Amino acid sequence: MITKTARGFAAAALTLMPLLFATPAHAQADALTLSDGIQLLPLAAESRDGYQRTKFKHWVDADRDSCNTRAEVLIAESRVPVTIDSGCKIVAGEWYSYYDGVTLTAPGGLDIDHMVPLAEAWDSGASQWTAARREAYANDLGAERSLVAVTAKSNRSKSDQDPSTWLPPLADARCTYAADWVSTKLRWGLTVDAPEADALAGLAADCGEQPIEYEPAAE
């Protein structure tokens, strides 16, 4: 089973945008199993009415250091120190795409995947959010599972699908993926529909006591 490497984002990058990324001082991380987490997800029908990708402003430079969200994820997830050109252009590093088990050294072959795609988030509750909250979601550096560097091929294969229609091609990644998906939905208070819930329950049955952990995103 694959465990993703934790990120070490600078605290300053988060404190400059408290409304977007901060967690209230009283909030505590909730640790539970994948099966328990699935039970906490509200069940609701989905609707894509009114969805436009532009309603989620993404790849912003939150801390004004010339590195946007994509660059911050590439820096954080590289297994070696990255090579950076002017304007925070990442030109080299080493990244492991856990969806398909591929290692890359050139960032051009990578996409930054929203664990729960923007369209799926819209369907699951984000249509009711403010523009600021959708921006916070699209640039969530406050939880390592929200955004992940993976091969462009695997990300584009996934597109906007949920686990009822798409899972990582690497079978050993699927329990981690399910845990990351559920953690992200719990963090942002998103719902699941019936096929998605059934698919997640089926995965959980094969994942033993797979743990999940999340902190609710700030309102």
Side-chain angles (χ1 to χ4, degrees), residues 41-55:
L41 291 168
L43 190 65
E46 295 185 353
S47 173
R48 196 156 297 184
D49 290 349
Y51 171 72
Q52 293 178 337
R53 188 172 174 83
T54 54
K55 291 185 177 181

Side-chain angles (χ1 to χ4, degrees), residues 111-217:
D111 282 352
I112 305 304
D113 182 37
H114 290 92
M115 174 54 56
V116 176
L118 301 181
E120 169 68 20
W122 178 272
D123 299 350
S124 307
S127 61
Q128 304 303 309
W129 294 351
T130 63
R133 187 164 179 81
R134 286 195 290 270
E135 179 178 337
Y137 178 84
N139 298 277
D140 185 13
L141 297 176
E144 68 175 39
R145 49 191 57 83
S146 295
L147 299 167
V148 57
V150 295
T151 59
K153 179 180 179 180
S154 65
N155 181 51
R156 293 167 197 183
S157 170
K158 172 183 173 180
S159 185
D160 59 6
Q161 298 177 84
D162 71 30
S164 69
T165 54
W166 188 91
L167 291 170
L170 185 64
D172 284 350
R174 291 175 183 173
C175 289
T176 298
Y177 182 78
D180 289 352
W181 182 278
V182 171
S183 295
T184 302
K185 285 219 159 179
L186 288 171
R187 172 169 168 76
W188 288 93
L190 297 171
T191 63
V192 292
D193 63 11
E196 178 186 354
D198 289 345
L200 289 168
L203 285 166
D206 295 327
C207 291
E209 294 298 302
Q210 172 77 36
I212 65 171
E213 186 173 309
Y214 72 97
E215 290 186 356

Side-chain angles (χ1 to χ4, degrees), residues 65-68 71 75 82-93 107:
D65 65 349
S66 299
C67 297
N68 65 17
I75 292 168
V82 296
T83 302
I84 307 177
D85 278 353
S86 61
C88 198
K89 181 180 180 181
I90 314 300
V91 296

